[in-house]
């Protein structure tokens, strides 16, 4: 891939990433909940991994293995964090945040950046 093609792809993936995070922030802010924050982060990460994998139009073993390993890790972590918050009822990282839409927006934006 040339530099400009790679740059265009990265910009598209970043737009998708932030778009998903911001749409889900609206839902979370309206509901004043962080229950699906980590699941949304992991799900977006999984989606982007597979989107970028398909974007290359190649089929190398190492890409398939790496994508599979990242998928397993992200799925496991996202599920663990989601089940933990469902069990505990809230995430203490969000105390004082879930009721402040601007600060809550920053949390979702930073998640889109990581």
């Amino acid at each position: 891939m040339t530099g400009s093609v790679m740059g265009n792809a990265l910009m598209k993936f970043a737009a998708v990433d932030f778009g998903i995070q911001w749409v889900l922030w609206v839902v979370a802010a309206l509901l004043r909940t962080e229950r699906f924050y980590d699941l949304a982060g992991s799900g977006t990460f999984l989606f982007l991994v597979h989107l970028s994998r398909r974007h290359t139009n190649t089929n190398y073993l190492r890409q398939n293995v790496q994508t599979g390993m990242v998928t397993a890790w992200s799925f496991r972590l996202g599920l663990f964090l989601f089940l933990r918050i469902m069990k505990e009822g809230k995430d203490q990282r969000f105390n004082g945040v879930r009721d402040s839409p601007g600060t809550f927006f920053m949390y979702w934006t930073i998640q889109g950046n990581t």
Side-chain angles (χ1 to χ4, degrees):
M1 276 187 182
T2 65
S4 64
V5 172
M6 178 66 91
N8 289 337
L10 288 175
M11 291 302 292
K12 288 177 186 175
F13 294 148
V16 169
D17 186 11
F18 285 111
I20 291 169
Q21 295 302 313
W22 292 340
V23 166
L24 293 174
W25 162 75
V26 169
V27 175
L30 289 173
L31 297 175
R32 292 187 177 177
T33 184
E34 72 285 359
R35 286 184 178 242
F36 57 91
Y37 176 83
D38 292 311
L39 190 62
S42 293
T44 303
F45 188 76
L46 276 169
F47 177 69
L48 290 172
V49 164
H50 288 276
L51 189 64
S52 67
R53 168 68 188 89
R54 285 188 38 177
H55 179 75
T56 62
N57 291 324
T58 58
N59 195 26
Y60 296 116
L61 177 61
R62 68 178 165 77
Q63 289 174 315
N64 294 333
V65 169
Q66 181 179 10
T67 300
M69 292 174 76
V70 168
T71 297
W73 167 80
S74 184
F75 180 77
R76 185 212 58 85
L77 180 61
L79 185 61
F80 167 77
L81 292 171
F82 179 70
L83 292 175
R84 183 181 73 180
I85 196 168
M86 294 307 289
K87 179 182 173 186
E88 294 178 9
K90 66 179 180 175
D91 187 334
Q92 295 203 14
R93 296 177 294 172
F94 293 93
N95 288 348
V97 173
R98 68 182 73 81
D99 294 324
S100 173
T103 306
F104 206 23
F105 177 77
M106 292 307 300
Y107 275 58
W108 282 86
T109 300
I110 290 169
Q111 175 168 263
N113 192 37
T114 55

